[in-house]
Amino acid sequence: NPTLTLSKSSSAVPSPLGSGGTFNWVLTAVVSSGPTVANATITDTLPPGFTVNGTITDSADNGQAAKMTCTPNGAVPGATGFSCTLASTAANGTYTITVPVKAPTVTGSTQCVQYTNVATATFAAVGGVPGGTVVQTNNSNSVTVTCPALSITKSAVDSNVDFGQNVQFDIV
């Protein structure tokens, strides 16, 4: 029986990531004991506020990149998730999905937290039996988004002003 091992990593630098920052989530699907006998589907719903920020790309180290198709495919800014299908008869090898992502623009301290994203994989059934084994031990990745550190102070230059006079302020 073929085995599909799914893992996920992030290129978020710096970590923590700034508000509205961009990075890539990278999903790696390794097929062993193949080829696959059924389609395998990899799905990923991004955390709230995260969106796809460019073209989702896929590649394979064995020359079989055409065995992987992703939906939505291509440039889909604003998408909040995707799925990829690894076709049956995919040979042993490593299939990589790179997803450019934009983190949420945070405005309040409750949004400045760690966000965890989980991808999942399943094999279609063949004759009522799953078409392979899925191993999902490292299929999640977390990114911390920081709030902008901003403080504004306003004070009058002269606190003794007569009625009708202009007031000058310092803003720091």
Side-chain angles (χ1 to χ4, degrees):
N1 235 6
T3 299
L4 176 85
T5 303
L6 181 64
S7 62
K8 186 170 196 166
S9 62
S10 161
S11 70
V13 174
S15 183
L17 185 69
S19 173
T22 58
F23 66 99
N24 291 330
W25 258 315
V26 179
L27 287 79
T28 304
V30 177
V31 174
S32 57
S33 301
T36 58
V37 295
N39 288 351
T41 302
I42 299 167
T43 57
D44 193 339
T45 301
L46 302 179
F50 286 77
T51 57
V52 173
N53 192 44
T55 302
I56 297 171
T57 59
D58 56 77
S59 62
D61 71 349
N62 59 7
Q64 289 199 333
K67 293 287 185 179
M68 179 77 74
T69 55
C70 295
T71 305
N73 196 7
V76 286
T80 58
F82 63 93
S83 67
C84 297
T85 300
L86 182 60
S88 62
T89 71
N92 289 347
T94 301
Y95 299 82
T96 304
I97 305 162
T98 303
V99 185
V101 178
K102 182 175 183 184
T105 302
V106 295
T107 56
S109 61
T110 60
Q111 295 172 305
C112 303
V113 295
Q114 186 176 67
Y115 294 86
T116 299
N117 182 233
V118 179
T120 58
T122 56
F123 267 112
V126 176
V129 177
T133 303
V134 176
V135 178
Q136 302 180 111
T137 56
N138 295 309
N139 61 324
S140 69
N141 185 262
S142 296
V143 174
T144 300
V145 179
T146 60
C147 281
L150 180 63
S151 174
I152 298 176
T153 305
K154 178 181 175 183
S155 59
V157 173
D158 185 358
S159 59
N160 295 321
V161 182
D162 291 329
F163 180 78
Q165 275 186 306
N166 288 333
V167 178
Q168 195 173 14
F169 291 95
D170 284 334
I171 299 176
V172 180

